[in-house]
Amino acid sequence: MELLHSGKVRDVYADGDDLILVASDRVSVYDVVLPTPIPDKGTILTRLSLWWFEQLADLVPHHVLSATDVPAAFAGRAIRCKRLTMVPVECIARGYLAGLGLKEYEKSGSVSGVTLSGGLVEGSRLPAPVFTPTTKAPVGEHDEFMTFDEVAVGSGADVAASLRDLTLAVYARGAQIAAARGIIVADTKLEFGFSRDGVLTLADEVLTPDSSRFWPLDAWEPGRAQFSFDKQYVRDWATGTGWTKQPPAPEVPAEVVERTRARYVEVYERLTGVRY
Ligand SMILES: Nc1ncnc2c1ncn2[C@@H]1O[C@H](COP(=O)(O)OP(=O)(O)O)[C@@H](O)[C@H]1O
Ligand SMILES: [Mg+2]
C-alpha cells in the first residue's frame, strides 16, 4: 500500500482503487499535535464515523466500503473507502456561533457571505443553520471563507447547491440525534467527492469531535467560550502549564491522558448509545 498523505491525526493509504483511512491516537490542541497519544482515540473516532455514516445513509451516499477488510495492523481504526475525486471545499454547517465563524461575524456581521442578525455573541444559537464553506488550504496555510457564489464558480452552480443542501441536511440530522442525547453540535465540517460514476458522495470522517464542535447541552451559556466535550481537560491543562500554544507541546501526564480518553469514550457512548 502506498502512503498518500500523513495528516496531523490520520494517515491515508491507497490500495488499488480504494483508500484506507487510518485514525491514529494523536490529538491536536490549538492546532499543535501533542507528543503524548490518547489510547483508543483512533478506534473510538473510527467507530463513531462508521455509526454516523449509517445514520445518514438515507440522506447521502457515502464512501465506506468496509470497516473490516483492512490490514491487520490497522484493525479497528481504519476504514476502506471508495477513492473519490474530492471537491476542494470544506463544507461547514454552523448552528451556533464559535471559532472562526465568530471572528468573521465580529469583523463583518456575516460569515461566508451570509449576513447574520445583529446582537449575536459567542455561543449564540443562529436563527437557522448556515452553510459557511471554506477553501481547503495546503499545509501551513489557513482555510479562507468562500461565498456560495465562489463555490459555484469553482465547482458549478448545481454542485454548489447540492453541497449546501447535503451539508445542511447532514447537520440537521446530526444535531437532532445529538440533541436528544444532551449534546449540541455547534458546527461540523464535511467533505464530498465524486465517485467514478459521477455521484456526489460524503467522504472523510463525519460528525466526530475532530471535525465538529460538541458542547454539553446542560452547560451551554451564550456570551462566553463553551466547554468542549472532548478536549477541555487537556486544553486547560496545557494552558495551565504556561504553554504558549506554539510547538512543541508539553508531554501530557497520565492522569490527564486518562481523563481525556474518558471524554472520548463518553461522547461515543452518549451519541451512539453503545458501550465502547
Ligand atoms: N474517499 C476519499 N477519496 C479521496 N480522498 C479522501 C477521501 N476521504 C477523505 N479524503 C482525503 O483524505 C485526507 C485525510 O487527511 P486528514 O487526515 O484529514 O489530514 P489533513 O486534513 O490534516 O490533511 C483529506 O485530504 C481528505 O480530503
Ligand atoms: Mg482533514
Side-chain angles (χ1 to χ4, degrees), residues 4-12 19 21-22 63 81-87 90 136-137 139 189 191-193 201-205:
L4 292 182
H5 174 80
S6 189
K8 279 201 294 259
V9 171
R10 290 176 303 155
D11 298 316
V12 184
L19 279 193
L21 283 179
V22 185
H63 71 162
C81 46
K82 282 184 205 172
R83 187 170 183 177
L84 307 172
T85 304
M86 297 301 285
V87 178
E90 307 243 279
K136 265 174 75 80
V139 178
K189 189 257 325 175
E191 294 187 35
F192 295 87
T201 303
L202 182 59
D204 210 55
E205 62 184 330

Side-chain angles (χ1 to χ4, degrees), residues 126-206:
L126 301 177
V130 289
F131 177 56
T132 61
T134 70
T135 58
K136 265 174 75 80
V139 178
E141 290 169 38
H142 288 292
D143 296 344
E144 305 279 351
F145 282 110
M146 298 174 83
T147 63
F148 180 81
D149 289 343
E150 285 166 342
V151 178
V153 168
S155 303
D158 291 356
V159 172
S162 298
L163 293 172
R164 179 196 57 206
D165 296 349
L166 289 172
T167 299
L168 291 174
V170 167
Y171 175 78
R173 172 76 58 85
Q176 180 206 349
I177 291 175
R181 284 131 164 132
I183 295 174
I184 289 174
V185 182
D187 51 43
T188 196
K189 189 257 325 175
L190 306 175
E191 294 187 35
F192 295 87
F194 286 98
S195 65
R196 268 210 273 178
D197 39 4
V199 178
L200 194 56
T201 303
L202 182 59
D204 210 55
E205 62 184 330
V206 61

Side-chain angles (χ1 to χ4, degrees), residues 17 22 28-29 38 40 52 54 56 80 102-103 127 129 138 147-148 180 184 191 200 217 224 241 244 257 263-264 273:
D17 282 346
V22 185
S28 74
V29 174
I38 304 299
D40 300 322
W52 278 120
E54 265 174 43
L56 302 165
R80 176 179 295 273
L102 171 69
K103 278 201 185 130
T147 63
F148 180 81
I184 289 174
E191 294 187 35
L200 194 56
L217 183 59
R224 58 154 169 80
T241 64
T244 56
V257 168
R263 299 302 289 193
Y264 282 102

Side-chain angles (χ1 to χ4, degrees), residues 12 20 26 55-56 59 67 73 88 109 111 114 123 136 143 184 209 215-217 236 258 272:
V12 184
I20 311 282
R26 298 189 288 271
Q55 308 305 308
L56 302 165
L59 291 179
V111 185
V114 181
K136 265 174 75 80
D143 296 344
I184 289 174
W215 299 335
L217 183 59
D236 290 352
E258 185 41 49
T272 65

